Amino acid sequence: MIMKRVLVVWLLAAAVVVTAVVGVTVTYDHRALVIDGKRRVLVSGSIHYPRSTPDMWPDLIQKSKDGGLDVIETYVFWNLHEPVKNQYDFEGRKDLVKFIKLVADAGLYVHLRIGPYVCAEWNYGGFPLWLHFIPGIKLRTDNEPFEAEMKRFTAKIVGMMKDEKLYASQGGPIILSQIENEYGNIDTSYGSGAPKYIKWAASMATSLDTGVPWVMCQQKDAPDPTIDTCNGFYCDGYKPNAANKPTMWTENWTGWFLSFGGAVPYRPVEDIAFAVARFYQRGGTFQNYYMYHGGTNFGRTTGGPFIATSYDYDAPLDEYGAPRQPKWGHLQELHKAIKLCEEAMVATDPKNMSLGHNAEAHVYQTSSTCAAYLANIDTQNDATVNFNGNSYKLPAWSVSILPDCKNVVFNTAKINSMATIRKFVATNVGNVLSASKAISTEWSYVSEPVGISSSGAFKKPGLLEQINTTADQSDYLWYSISANVKDDETQTTLHVKSLGHVLHVFINDQLKGSAIGNPITKDFPITLKSGKNKLDLLSLTVGLQNYGAFFDLAGAGITGPVQLVGLKNGSTVDLSSQEWTYQVGLKGDKLGLNTGGSSLWVSGYPKGQPLTWYKTNFDAPSGDNPIAIDFTGMGKGEAWVNGQSIGRYWPAYIAPTSGCSDCSYKGAYNSNKCLKNCGKPSQTLYHVPRSWLKPSGNLLVLFEEMGGDPTQIAFATQELQSLCSHVSQSHPISMEAWSQEKSTKKSKSEPRVSLECPHPNQVISSIKFASFGTPQGKCGSFSHGECQSTDALSILQKACIGSRSCNVGVSTATFGDPCIGVVKSLAVEASCA
Ligand code: GAL
């Protein structure tokens, strides 16, 4: 009995020991972050929690982990959490603590970029607008009222993290934190206030005593112990400002953000992989993909002006959370290759040697280990180089990784991983006949009055700047006035100057023209009636400025002049300083139309009618594939699903017809280099998170400004159309094979094609194309070359059909040799069902 009791006590004690969370130290030296006494080579990726939904978070985090990330980076969005001073909100998509805990559950680290200025294509760069109204405040400089607020919010977030024991020093996942953001890019505009502010920010952050290092990105004068880090498309060669700081890359842009009115940017993965490999080659040890998952700018969260609702970013995980292939897979392979070098990389500094014109090697070597990166930075020519007594072929603009200084396991320009084609396909729902893909044929509507309709309207002489007037409570500000003209003055021109962003001109309740710009200067030819005329100018913001010196003071709206030009005798009537009537926001907002409320709804769907609220009910598309609403047919506005804003829609804004030439991954990338979708609407598809829907009886409300046809609105679901792979005999051997060879010392194995259906319950159902020889083209449009094996299709069918995944060697042993002496490849396109 006594024995038993002793045993129980002992077991209890053991349990306590096991569950006690042990903090680790996070420090740094000139090579790397040092976690728990060990230097680490880390790969990080940005996921901004409010740009997806909590039910998406676990999967996004898992796919990041599977992709080879060690760290998830997120900004903290001040204006989301404190929309009204001292009123905090951490619910739902704003549940920062939950997000961080999920990252911890997956076994990954967190880099918490508190900012609290974040840029991020986020409204007002993350600042709450109320800051602007604090007397005497000057943002982002040595200014007491600003610093007091910045400190309060930063301390609030740090306090929350500490309370939840989320810092690594407390046993949590946060290993790093950022204060400010890229201030160094614009700090000279702030004169002598800038260096003082940066000193203050660093010491304020340090004083919060998080137990983990702070970084400042793009801040050459980041004071010790803060680490200055690099942002950009390339950061190899970056040198931090002190000899004891590691080389860190906080933003490697995986693509670029989309603007309304712009074409869709993309960045080839061969170039991203090249940039990353070059960074680790030249001594870097921490790199973050901005973005790894971009997501969606729900509600009115986009920065601006004109940042689109989609923040897909051409990231490795697409807007909806699916791996973008081969981007995700190629980077996954890259990360494995880099990790094979970690031991050597943390042991020593790299030694570099020239391998000829535009080619160089960096070698990490100690007495027990050796890893090397061989680069050919030539933008055109492939190279054959000698290294350590062996010959290596290096394609132009590529890096080969040799974890044993001998075998190439990865080359950045050779994509081994599969590609996928995913498309949004119009889908039928609930109450609609199958011939039509429309969401609904049963609509109700309410017409928003033109001009002043609310009791909150007020009169003021002169033209008011918009943001100061609306405090960003709404995108909309009415500027209304009446003008008296004589019989012979009815043909005239309305000349308007505005700081932006969009202007709709209504004359006697009719929409007579619109303008877009930042700023806008436009002449509207108009016909007035003799006598009194009603002039209503609707001015809109489309996301507040988020970048640049003094971005907070950029302003918006009609600041004048507003003139009637060319009245009788060519005279001009300047309306600018007359008395105007103002209304912030829409009547429908006040009536709560976005949640379907009010008895004003009448059935019908007037087409092409500006300023109209529409609503309908719909059933959710079946299945679990991601859903988007296709707003083709509509103009511009905002939409709500079950009361939640899915964001601003603007399919009427078309990208320029030129600028989308074919782009090569070779040579330095910039955000205009690779564009697609020219001449088409910038964004037609808008994400509706599954978790916002019930199976039936969902409510869709939209407010349309310019006029559209709601019966064209349709649902689309994301469908996987094809899996592809195209691997050459000359590709590096797989890393698994390399590791095996290392342990068994067996001879070299061949490269392999692998295909896998993303869903565990799917199998490969058909081989749409297979060719071993010299096939050409890309996924979706492969074609046979002059040389081809006759058996490729049947071999692939046999190996793959009916299985979730398959794996076939790219070799003459499998396929025979259709053209002796020629380097051959295997191209396959398959589908899953
Ligand atoms: C950086 C900034 C990020 C983001 C990015 C562009 O300058 O730090 O927040 O705005 O540019 O996507």
Side-chain angles (χ1 to χ4, degrees), residues 59 128 198 424 509 543 634 745:
D59 188 55
I198 275 306
F424 275 89
D509 289 339
M634 299 305 289
K745 303 255 180 310

Side-chain angles (χ1 to χ4, degrees), residues 116-130:
Y117 165 71
V118 296
C119 193
E121 290 69 70
W122 191 266
N123 196 40
Y124 217 46
F127 284 150
L129 205 87
W130 52 258

Side-chain angles (χ1 to χ4, degrees), residues 75 118-121 181-182 231 251 253 256-257 290 311 313 547:
Y75 281 130
V118 296
C119 193
E121 290 69 70
N181 190 77
E182 292 194 337
N231 291 351
E251 288 183 28
W253 303 313
W256 199 245
F257 56 84
Y290 185 101
Y311 199 63
Y313 222 90
Y547 182 73

Side-chain angles (χ1 to χ4, degrees), residues 563-597:
Q563 296 163 331
L564 291 171
V565 183
L567 294 177
K568 200 178 173 192
N569 309 327
S571 66
T572 291
V573 173
D574 198 326
L575 304 172
S576 313
S577 52
Q578 296 192 9
E579 185 174 74
W580 291 77
T581 309
Y582 293 91
Q583 179 185 309
V584 175
L586 305 170
K587 187 174 182 191
D589 291 334
K590 303 217 164 64
L591 296 171
L593 295 188
N594 59 347
T595 53

Side-chain angles (χ1 to χ4, degrees), residues 300 466 470 474-478 504 538-541 583-586 589 611 636-638 703 705:
R300 297 173 58 244
Q466 182 157 350
T470 63
S474 167
D475 282 1
Y476 302 97
L477 178 62
W478 283 107
H504 299 305
L538 181 58
S539 178
L540 280 92
T541 49
Q583 179 185 309
V584 175
L586 305 170
D589 291 334
L611 305 186
K636 176 183 183 304
E638 187 174 351
F703 175 66
E705 289 159 36

Side-chain angles (χ1 to χ4, degrees), residues 2-40:
I2 288 174
M3 270 302 285
K4 242 190 191 167
R5 204 171 288 155
V6 169
L7 189 67
V8 167
V9 169
W10 184 85
L11 278 175
L12 279 175
V16 169
V17 171
V18 171
T19 53
V21 186
V22 188
V24 295
T25 58
V26 184
T27 57
Y28 60 81
D29 64 14
H30 82 287
R31 277 300 293 135
L33 286 181
V34 179
I35 302 178
D36 208 12
K38 268 174 61 184
R39 286 182 183 160
R40 291 300 314 275

Side-chain angles (χ1 to χ4, degrees), residues 280-303:
Y280 290 103
Q281 166 168 19
R282 299 183 67 192
T285 48
F286 180 103
Q287 182 267 156
N288 175 72
Y289 296 104
Y290 185 101
M291 304 293 297
Y292 197 75
H293 171 255
T296 309
N297 293 312
F298 296 113
R300 297 173 58 244
T301 58
T302 68

